[in-house]
Amino acid sequence: MSKPDPFITEETLPDPLPAEPFGLFRDWFDAARSGRVQPNPDAMTLATVDPDGRPSARIVLCKAIDTGLGRVTFYTNRESRKGRAIDADPHVALVMHWDALDRQVRIEGVASRASDAESDGYFASRRVESRLGAWASAQSRPLSSRDELLARVAETMERFGVTLDDLERGLAEIPRPPHWGGYHVLADTVELWIGGVGRIHDRARWTRSISGSDAGAPGPWSATRLFP
């Protein structure tokens, strides 16, 4: 039987599927960033499970993709709700959806803390305002008013000797807070999805074992197509 023409789309996943998913994921990520078709192509949903079993999701920014190890990196306040959840249960899920490109990536895996050197390096690259905010915000804790937060920012500026001129020039020496840093998510499951006409999407999943992979040697990937 011939293929029904209305459902044939310009882009599909390769056939046969690649042996691993991160090369294609990286290509999609780079295309989303270079194409400038979305306001923030780095935006990534992070889902965690609290100690009481309640799921929680929020947006973080994808700051690195290691295609060799198959892992993704983001940075945050480790004393936030998500940080506390990861401390209790490091199993997390991530979603990147580029609506303008009709592409989606889903990742499941285990989060672990990035090294101090990695966290220091990224923190130093952030805008001065963002580095001040990392000190001033007790992320996820109750706040009495917006004025209280602004007062904490002013106190932080005074603490580190940052002036308004420093903000304008984007120059200031502000160390990384001890409670702030990166997380690596080592993937054990990846799904790649391409939108199709009539919701006849193209979808595939890769899985592998990452148990005992602290030395950076997870098992091989196994790929399969999925009904959309």
Side-chain angles (χ1 to χ4, degrees):
M1 181 181 295
S2 62
K3 300 176 183 177
D5 290 345
F7 298 96
I8 298 175
T9 56
E10 292 184 6
E11 184 185 15
T12 59
L13 294 169
D15 192 5
L17 293 169
E20 57 82 27
F22 266 80
L24 190 52
F25 170 30
R26 179 80 219 199
D27 289 344
W28 287 8
F29 181 76
D30 290 343
R33 300 191 82 199
S34 63
R36 300 179 184 275
V37 295
Q38 295 196 193
N40 195 343
D42 298 0
M44 177 171 67
T45 301
L46 165 68
T48 57
V49 178
D50 289 338
D52 63 0
R54 294 175 66 89
S56 179
R58 75 289 288 162
I59 300 295
V60 296
L61 299 181
C62 177
K63 288 301 178 182
I65 298 172
D66 188 323
T67 56
L69 288 177
R71 73 181 188 187
V72 176
T73 301
F74 67 93
Y75 294 85
T76 190
N77 183 321
R78 290 171 173 164
E79 295 179 351
S80 64
R81 181 179 178 182
K82 56 185 168 300
R84 297 194 304 272
I86 290 171
D87 284 344
D89 184 346
H91 293 89
V92 302
L94 304 167
V95 179
M96 300 191 78
H97 182 75
W98 301 291
D99 188 63
L101 299 175
D102 249 357
R103 292 171 174 172
Q104 177 176 276
V105 178
R106 297 175 60 195
I107 296 173
E108 297 173 19
V110 176
S112 62
R113 294 191 177 195
S115 69
D116 287 345
E118 290 174 282
S119 297
D120 287 342
Y122 176 69
F123 189 79
S125 74
R126 304 181 88 209
R127 290 171 55 93
V128 174
E129 296 90 339
S130 296
R131 282 179 277 155
L132 289 169
W135 280 97
S137 175
Q139 194 175 101
S140 301
R141 265 65 174 189
L143 178 67
S144 63
S145 68
R146 176 75 176 176
D147 286 343
E148 179 189 355
L149 177 58
L150 295 179
R152 288 175 63 101
V153 172
E155 291 169 2
T156 304
M157 290 178 64
E158 183 176 357
R159 173 182 179 181
F160 293 109
V162 178
T163 66
L164 293 177
D165 183 56
D166 293 330
L167 292 179
E168 291 180 2
R169 292 185 297 124
L171 299 173
E173 292 294 328
I174 305 172
R176 176 179 62 89
H179 58 264
W180 192 98
Y183 287 97
H184 297 308
V185 178
L186 187 64
D188 60 24
T189 303
V190 175
E191 283 193 17
L192 301 181
W193 174 98
I194 298 174
V197 175
R199 306 197 68 79
I200 305 299
H201 310 310
D202 208 8
R203 180 183 175 196
R205 179 173 62 207
W206 287 255
T207 59
R208 65 177 178 176
S209 171
I210 60 172
S211 60
S213 61
D214 292 340
W221 290 101
S222 175
T224 184
R225 287 184 179 272
L226 300 174
F227 278 101

